């Protein structure tokens, strides 16, 4: 009979959002995410407590997975932001900061949870419908016949992470590369359903950023010291293995085998491998690639018959190489390889990047696989560059779904906030409608307005998070764009003009402006006139931001709705 | 007010830490290094270190910054093998500069943009002051205005010839014949000889040459004896190379062998590969030493249970017997017998392996007069593969006739048995005249010095290697740094003037210009610190005196006309000349000191990258922390 242990009762926290400790932690998390936000954000060293590798980053995709909390509410927010990132790559910090601000502002203004939820929902639908409208003043159409907006979009994302430490020329180089890679993966004229190509990234440490380049086809690092491959321009018959050819029993898994002790299993498998090698040679295979390890004896055999051998390719490159060679990988060595399993690769050559030797493979036909070689001086910066590169790739692809972008630099946030405020106060002025809406939400108009204020303040808060050097944020009272004012700028400096707004579209158009943390009378944000020849210099992904907005509001609403936290402490 | 400052300062704890860490390593800067003991209080063990990299390697990283520093240094050392001290110093000095800037209310964004501008100025100045040379009929061109040359040339010509006289007197190495000449266009032309112009080779001396020995001397940084070894290694390498084209020093074909028990001046360089043999292998050696041997190369271990990298042993393997086991011999012995039989069939006398061999195997081989040499580098194996026509294999069972090479000879390098019976026997393995493999034998009678001696040898060898690869040198002894200081100060002055000149409307612009000028001055200050620290480390000079000398030099220097080589060398063998600090013939008698171009550029850039990363970091996210352990951390 098993021993019975006394169980501790579960701990139940009533109204977690009113709990001081929870609020403190929410605040801490908000400050943490806020400090990372934007191109001048601060970096964080991320490591574990046993002295593991240190990564230095300000990207939400790096920092959030390292955050563990004892509070389920924080984990809830973390998880929903991470889910957003996994789908859209961009705007993770935006979602986090906005969600946490909504929670904090609601508490600060002592707004009832149920009311906050309703008003948030109302405001959100107002925002999303406005963003979808044709006359939306903070949305920019992306025209695929010109690369300008695509370049701006790519450039904004690349400059958003300061740990990359890129100069202007380097930023331009990388964003040009990103746009070029994006355009190359779109097949030109294939009938039927269109499949996008792939970009594989290879990183090289220790070379200057400007050495980064794009190549058609695949570049695969060779670890092998024996490989003496001559470049050849002919077609090479290629076979691709996803099973291990190391001579071990990879397919055995957890099962057991009973064998006679006099039986040398290793030798038997090796015989089988050599049998396979013989078939490859007979079938005139010239390039043999394996995802895992190839037994040295088999390698020696194949090489002696003029086959180029590549082992330890890794999981990530299997699919692109399959596409490139036009074949499926062979997953077993116990059956004869059908001739359909062979693919073709063209133009084999070796390329040297710093200390890496790479084999360059090209497709026979027009397979849209290309390789981006990213270089940077040290590992920390290179890691961040890789994160940013992936993000840029994803965001550029999202434009195919919805060819729009939003103004960056905090202008979309301030604009939306001014719009929401204006729209809802209009509603209140037409008293009858207002009372209907308020009645629908079951609250007084004053309470309703307070809820709207919380929402707008939270949006403003995100824009204000862009400034980290002690400066303040301002908004003009005409177009409702966002400006940052440096800490040591005097009154007369400001009267002289604030220069360009955050997104670079408006220059000092209005002499009337307000600081973002102060009260201001509502106004209707005027759309920019079409005659302005100025182009935005900072753009954000439309799809990602709209989704981030929804994720933030819905997560905040969910958190507001939590009445009890029940924790099993056993 | 005071409170807010301290609170703000507290934020930049990373910069403080970096600068403190760099300060502890100041004694490793410059040619005059002092040793440091690192003691582990728990185990009572201690390590003797003499380089920045070694020290950091021996310290346990306790925080994220330590890790970052360690990673940066490791990366730098992996490629360049020298310059870590400079990197660390400047990281410290420039984090101080950043702290000063923050204290003056300059924002991080501005600091970064100003310092990025500063490093571009520095790197540009470095490029300008570099001395380039070219293949075997070399043009040694100084990239600066021709006007600057005319005054300099007469002086330097004298300096060169005098230096050559002196050095040939000082050292018993073959005399270095170098002169420099001037062609019509006003550019200096110096030829770099690949013939290591010995005095007897008359045909060479008719050329104007700038010998490798001279470059080596300039790069030795007072490790003359080890640098001599490096030069010798290169001589031996190129002796075999009949190809006339300019070949840089191939460092992958150099190995070291440390011998304890001999005085330091017994260190030398030998062609071929020197290994130490012990015990029963010695008798095998005596049996084989006069013969031409057949060699097999194994990349891996020589034991029956060794499997290649990536092989997974099946976990669920069970052996089932149908009758009680009466195994005559174990599997291992069976395997050994099989391999030895194969080796005997192939007539192999010598096996070179990268891993280790099992005991039974070694015993069997010795019994059959086959010599097993373990723990060799793969590059050595590859070299033997090339020169003997053998093929490296992973398993001994792979060996066949086409894998076995011939023509290897063993020879005793030096008989040390009179010193001590138990001593290891140094044996050279060579492939006749054509091997490019060179071994530097480093000896010392003090065992704990051997490691630092080896470090120094590699540092020297790599300096020479980089110089020949870059085909460029950088004026050393503080000259390049002073040149950079001049340029930084010039730009700082320009920024200040621009500010006062500008119209009041662009107010933000003037503030930026002012901040840039402050930051550039602070960066120059960091370099100044570097020079003075090197001077102080060289002894005899106080900090104040060193500073006076340097600033005196800077004031008299004209940025527009000169280049780095116009500065006198500040850190000299003879401090008296440094104090006199005037470019006289007396001063010129000492050897001109040079540095590596790419190493310095990279070290400076990496130092600033490190500062930027630390400067922009305001927090640390540590996962898996026990709540009770950390007191100053905030828990999520």
């Amino acid at each position: 009979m098993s021993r019975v242990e006394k169980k501790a009762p579960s701990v139940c926290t009533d109204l977690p959002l009113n709990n001081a400790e929870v609020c403190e932690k929410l605040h801490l998390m908000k400050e943490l995410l806020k400090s990372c936000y934007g191109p001048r954000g601060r970096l964080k060293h991320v490591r574990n407590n046993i002295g593991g590798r240190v990564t230095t980053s300000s990207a939400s995709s790096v920092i959030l997975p390292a955050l563990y909390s004892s509070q389920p509410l924080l984990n809830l927010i973390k998880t929903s932001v991470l889910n957003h990132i996994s789908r859209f790559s961009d705007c993770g910090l935006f979602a986090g900061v906005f969600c946490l601000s909504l929670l904090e502002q609601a508490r600060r203004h002592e707004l009832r949870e149920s009311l906050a939820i309703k008003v948030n929902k109302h405001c959100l639908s107002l925002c999303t419908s406005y963003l979808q409208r044709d006359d939306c003043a903070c949305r920019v159409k992306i025209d695929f016949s010109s690369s300008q907006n695509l370049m701006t979009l790519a450039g904004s994302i690349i400059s958003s992470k300061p740990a990359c430490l890129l100069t202007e020329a380097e930023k331009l180089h990388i964003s040009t590369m990103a746009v070029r890679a994006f355009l190359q993966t779109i097949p030109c004229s294939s009938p039927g359903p269109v499949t996008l190509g792939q970009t594989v990234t290879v990183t090289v440490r220790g070379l200057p950023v400007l050495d980064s380049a794009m190549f058609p086809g695949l570049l695969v690092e060779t670890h092998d010291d024996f490989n003496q491959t001559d470049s050849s321009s002919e077609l090479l018959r290629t076979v691709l293995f996803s099973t291990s050819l190391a001579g071990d029993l990879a397919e055995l898994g957890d099962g057991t085998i009973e064998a006679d002790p006099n039986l040398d299993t290793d030798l038997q498998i090796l015989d089988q491998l050599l049998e396979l090698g013989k078939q490859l040679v007979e079938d005139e295979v010239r390039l043999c690639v394996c995802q895992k390890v190839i037994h040295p004896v088999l390698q020696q055999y194949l090489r002696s018959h003029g086959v180029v051998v590549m082992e330890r390719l890794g999981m990530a490159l299997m699919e692109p190489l399959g596409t490139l060679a036009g074949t499926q990988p062979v997953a077993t060595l116990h059956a004869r390889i059908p001739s359909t399993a062979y693919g073709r690769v063209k133009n084999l050559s070796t390329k040297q990047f710093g200390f890496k030797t790479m084999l360059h493979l090209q497709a026979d036909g027009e397979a849209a696989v290309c390789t981006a070689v990213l270089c940077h001086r040290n590992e920390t910066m290179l890691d961040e560059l890789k994160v940013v590169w992936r993000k840029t790739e994803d965001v550029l692809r999202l434009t195919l779904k919805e060819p729009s972008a939003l103004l960056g630099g905090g202008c979309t946030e301030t604009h939306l906030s001014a719009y929401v405020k204006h729209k809802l106060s209009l509603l209140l002025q037409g008293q009858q409608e207002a009372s209907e809406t308020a009645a629908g939400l079951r609250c007084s108009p004053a309470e309703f307005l307070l809820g709207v204020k919380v929402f707008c303040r939270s949006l403003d808060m995100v824009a204000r998070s862009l400034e980290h050097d002690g400066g303040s944020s301002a908004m003009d009272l005409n177009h409702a764009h966002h400006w940052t004012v440096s800490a040591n700028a005097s009154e007369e400096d400001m009267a002289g003009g604030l220069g360009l707004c955050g997104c670079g579209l408006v220059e000092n158009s209005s002499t009337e402006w307000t600081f973002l943390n102060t009260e201001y009378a509502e106004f209707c944000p005027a759309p920019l006139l079409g005659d302005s020849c100025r182009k935005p210099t900072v753009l954000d992904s439309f799809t990602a931001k709209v989704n981030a907005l929804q994720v933030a509001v819905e997560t905040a609403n969910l958190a507001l709705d939590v009445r009890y936290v029940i924790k099993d402490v056993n | 007010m005071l409170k807010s400052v301290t609170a703000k300062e507290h934020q930049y704890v990373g910069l403080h830490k970096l600068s403190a860490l760099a300060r502890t390593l100041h004694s490793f800067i410059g040619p005059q290094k002092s040793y440091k003991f690192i003691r582990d209080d728990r185990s009572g063990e201690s390590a003797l270190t003499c380089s920045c990299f070694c020290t950091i390697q021996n310290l346990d990283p306790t925080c994220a910054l330590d890790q970052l520093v360690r990673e940066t240094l490791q990366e730098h050392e992996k490629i360049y093998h020298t310059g870590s001290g400079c990197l660390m110093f400047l990281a410290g000095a420039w984090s101080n500069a950043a702290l000063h800037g923050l204290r003056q209310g300059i924002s991080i964004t501005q600091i970064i943009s100003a310092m990025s501008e500063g490093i571009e100025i520095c790197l540009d100045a470095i490029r300008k002051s570099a001395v380039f040379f070219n293949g075997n009929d070399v043009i040694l061109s100084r990239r600066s205005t021709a006007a600057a040359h005319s005054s300099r040339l007469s002086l330097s010509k004298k300096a060169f010839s005098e230096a050559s006289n002196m050095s040939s007197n000082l050292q018993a190495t073959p005399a270095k014949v170098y002169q420099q000449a001037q062609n019509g266009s006003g550019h200096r032309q110096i030829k770099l000889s690949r013939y290591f112009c010995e005095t007897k080779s008359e045909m060479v001396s008719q050329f104007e040459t700038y010998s490798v020995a001279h470059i080596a001397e300039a790069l030795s940084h007072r490790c003359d004896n080890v640098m001599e070894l490096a030069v010798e290694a290169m001589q031996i390498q190129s002796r075999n190379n009949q190809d006339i084209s300019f070949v840089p020093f191939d460092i992958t074909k150099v190995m070291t062998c440390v011998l304890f028990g001999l005085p330091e001046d017994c260190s030398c360089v030998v062609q071929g590969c020197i290994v130490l043999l012990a015990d029963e292998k010695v008798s095998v050696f005596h049996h084989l030493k006069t013969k031409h041997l057949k060699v097999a190369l194994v990349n891996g271990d020589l034991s029956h249970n060794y499997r290649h990298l990536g092989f997974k042993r099946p976990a669920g393997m069970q052996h089932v017997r149908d009758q009680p086991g009466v195994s005559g011999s174990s599997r291992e012995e069976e395997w050994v017998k099989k391999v030895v039989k194969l080796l005997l069939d192939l007539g192999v006398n010598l096996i070179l392996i990268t891993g280790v061999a099992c005991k039974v195997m070694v015993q069997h081989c010795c019994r059959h007069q086959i010599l097993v040499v373990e723990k060799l580098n793969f590059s050595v194996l590859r070299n033997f593969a090339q020169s003997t026509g053998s093929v490296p294999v992973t398993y001994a069972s792979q060996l066949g006739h086409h894998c076995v090479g011939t023509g290897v000879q063993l020879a005793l390098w030096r008989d040390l048995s009179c010193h001590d019976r138990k001593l290891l026997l140094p044996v050279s393995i060579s492939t006749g005249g054509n091997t490019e493999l060179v071994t530097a034998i480093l000896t010392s009678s003090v065992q704990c010095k051997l490691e630092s001696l080896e470090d120094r040898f590699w540092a020297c060898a790599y300096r020479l290697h980089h110089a020949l690869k870059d085909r460029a040198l950088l004026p050393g002894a503080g000259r390049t740094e002073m040149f950079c200081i001049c340029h930084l100060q010039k730009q700082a002055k320009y920024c200040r003037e621009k500010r006062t000149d500008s119209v009041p409307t662009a107010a933000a612009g003037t503030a930026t210009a002012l901040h840039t000028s402050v930051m550039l001055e602070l960066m120059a200050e960091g370099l100044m610190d570097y020079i003075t620290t090197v001077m102080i480390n060289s002894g005899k000079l106080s900090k104040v005196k060193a500073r006076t000398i340097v600033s005196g030099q800077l004031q008299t220097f004209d940025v527009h006309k000169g280049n780095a080589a116009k500065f006198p060398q500040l850190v000299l063998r003879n401090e008296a000349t440094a104090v006199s600090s005037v470019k006289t013939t007396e001063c010129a008698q000492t050897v001109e000191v040079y540095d590596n171009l790419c190493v310095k550029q990279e070290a400076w850039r990496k130092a600033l990258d490190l500062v930027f990363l630390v400067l922009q970091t305001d927090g640390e996210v540590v996962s898996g922390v026990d709540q009770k352990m950390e007191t100053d951390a905030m828990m999520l």
Side-chain angles (χ1 to χ4, degrees), chain B residues 231-252:
Chain B
V231 174
E232 227 177 298
M234 197 190 158
Q235 279 180 12
I236 293 174
Q237 248 182 27
S238 58
R239 201 191 291 150
N240 299 308
N241 202 335
Q242 299 305 313
D243 188 11
I244 289 300
S245 67
F246 182 79
V247 183
F249 185 18
D250 190 353
I251 212 108
T252 57

Side-chain angles (χ1 to χ4, degrees), chain A residues 25-26 28-29 32 35 39-54 56 63 66-71 74 162-163 165 167 170 205-206 225-226 244-250 252-267 292-298 300 311-312 355 376-381 469 488 493 496, chain B residues 12 62-65 67-68 71-72 75 78-80 105 107-110 112 116 120 299 307-322 331 338 378 382 391-395 397-399 402-403 504-505 507-508 511 515 602 605-606 608-610 612-627 629 634-636:
Chain A
K25 287 186 175 175
L26 284 172
L28 183 62
M29 185 163 167
L32 183 84
S35 68
R40 285 187 295 275
R42 300 285 183 257
L43 314 178
K44 304 281 172 283
H45 292 312
V46 182
R47 65 173 173 116
N48 57 14
N49 69 329
I50 43 169
R53 219 180 90 70
V54 180
T56 307
I63 293 170
L67 295 181
Y68 295 97
S69 177
S70 53
Q71 289 301 331
L74 268 77
L165 284 178
T167 63
E170 289 167 346
R205 234 184 314 161
D225 299 294
F226 305 110
S244 163
L245 299 180
D248 48 14
L249 292 161
L252 184 59
D254 292 331
T256 52
I257 281 190
E258 293 183 349
D260 189 84
N262 295 324
L263 189 76
D264 193 340
T265 41
D266 292 353
L267 210 63
K292 293 167 188 165
V293 178
I294 304 180
H295 198 288
V297 177
L298 180 61
Q300 192 188 18
E311 56 163 357
R312 284 180 256 171
F355 291 88
H376 215 321
R377 294 186 295 276
N378 79 34
E379 198 168 3
T380 310
M381 282 138 49
D469 289 327
N488 41 19
D493 284 349
Chain B
Y12 306 111
T62 52
C63 60
L65 180 83
Q67 289 253 359
L68 206 61
E71 262 172 34
T72 310
E75 218 160 276
K78 201 174 110 197
I79 304 173
Y80 297 104
S107 71
I108 292 180
T109 319
Q110 279 169 329
I112 288 176
S116 308
E120 287 307 322
N299 181 24
R307 292 290 178 275
H308 56 272
L309 204 72
F311 179 87
K312 281 196 210 88
R313 272 164 225 280
M317 181 72 86
Q318 287 173 355
H319 291 298
V320 183
R321 247 176 239 280
D322 52 358
R331 273 184 161 232
K338 215 172 82 187
F378 186 74
R382 191 161 38 198
V391 180
V393 292
T394 312
Y395 294 111
S397 57
Q398 280 175 272
L399 287 170
H402 66 283
C403 300
T505 44
H515 291 154
E602 273 303 301
R605 204 183 254 289
K606 281 191 177 130
L608 197 65
D609 285 339
L610 192 59
F612 281 172
L613 284 180
V614 176
L615 174 68
Q616 292 186 84
T617 304
D618 69 343
E620 206 175 314
V621 177
V622 188
S623 54
V625 183
D626 192 5
Q627 194 141 20
M629 278 163 57
M634 289 179 284
M635 306 294 295
L636 264 180

Side-chain angles (χ1 to χ4, degrees), chain B residues 320-340:
Chain B
V320 183
R321 247 176 239 280
D322 52 358
Q323 45 191 274
V326 271
S327 58
S329 55
S330 73
R331 273 184 161 232
E332 181 172 15
E333 262 172 41
E334 261 173 48
W335 177 83
V336 169
K337 272 180 198 158
K338 215 172 82 187
V339 171
V340 171

Side-chain angles (χ1 to χ4, degrees), chain A residues 1 483 543:
Chain A
M1 200 184 124
W483 267 267
T543 325

Side-chain angles (χ1 to χ4, degrees), chain B residues 469-527:
Chain B
K469 203 174 126 205
D470 294 349
R471 299 183 177 191
L473 289 174
L474 215 51
R479 289 178 291 172
T480 304
E481 282 82 4
M482 281 199 281
F483 191 57
C484 290
I485 293 176
C486 281
H487 277 265
L488 285 173
Q489 285 175 342
K490 194 181 103 187
Q491 183 66 25
K493 200 173 151 202
Y494 173 73
C495 287
R496 269 198 305 276
E497 278 163 6
K498 196 172 77 182
R499 178 187 171 247
T500 45
D501 288 351
S502 64
V503 264
T505 44
T510 61
T512 314
L514 179 69
H515 291 154
T516 310
S517 108
V518 171
M519 285 319 296
L520 292 181
E521 288 280 359
L522 284 168
M523 267 182 100
E525 191 60 32
L527 288 176

Side-chain angles (χ1 to χ4, degrees), chain B residues 341-466:
Chain B
K341 185 171 178 295
L342 179 66
L343 292 174
L344 289 173
D345 285 350
L346 294 168
V348 172
N349 319 97
L350 176 67
I351 313 175
L352 305 179
I353 61 178
T354 54
V356 289
C358 68
K359 232 176 199 167
V360 189
M361 184 71 202
V362 175
Q363 279 167 2
H364 268 76
C365 284
C366 286
R367 212 173 299 153
H368 292 97
Q369 310 292 3
I370 300 171
L371 186 63
V372 182
V373 179
E374 301 163 83
K375 293 178 194 162
L376 290 168
N377 266 338
F378 186 74
S379 65
V380 174
L381 239 63
R382 191 161 38 198
N383 221 280
F384 273 102
Q386 276 163 11
S387 52
T388 62
S390 48
V391 180
V393 292
T394 312
Y395 294 111
S397 57
Q398 280 175 272
L399 287 170
H401 280 288
H402 66 283
C403 300
V404 178
T406 50
V408 182
Q409 274 183 306
L410 297 179
L412 184 63
W413 172 64
R414 184 178 287 183
D415 196 3
L416 303 170
S417 50
C418 54
H419 295 285
D420 186 348
R421 224 160 247 294
K422 276 184 184 167
L423 229 119
L424 301 160
L425 199 65
V427 168
S428 100
I429 309 172
S430 65
T431 54
N434 61 348
T435 180
E436 285 182 27
L437 219 52
V438 178
T439 309
I441 298 168
L442 303 168
T443 57
S444 175
S445 30
V446 187
Q447 194 160 17
C448 59
K449 260 186 88 178
L450 279 172
E451 202 185 331
S452 68
L453 208 63
E454 208 180 350
D455 278 353
R456 282 187 190 194
F457 170 77
W458 283 117
C460 281
Y462 271 97
R463 276 204 288 268
L464 189 60
H465 167 79
H466 289 308

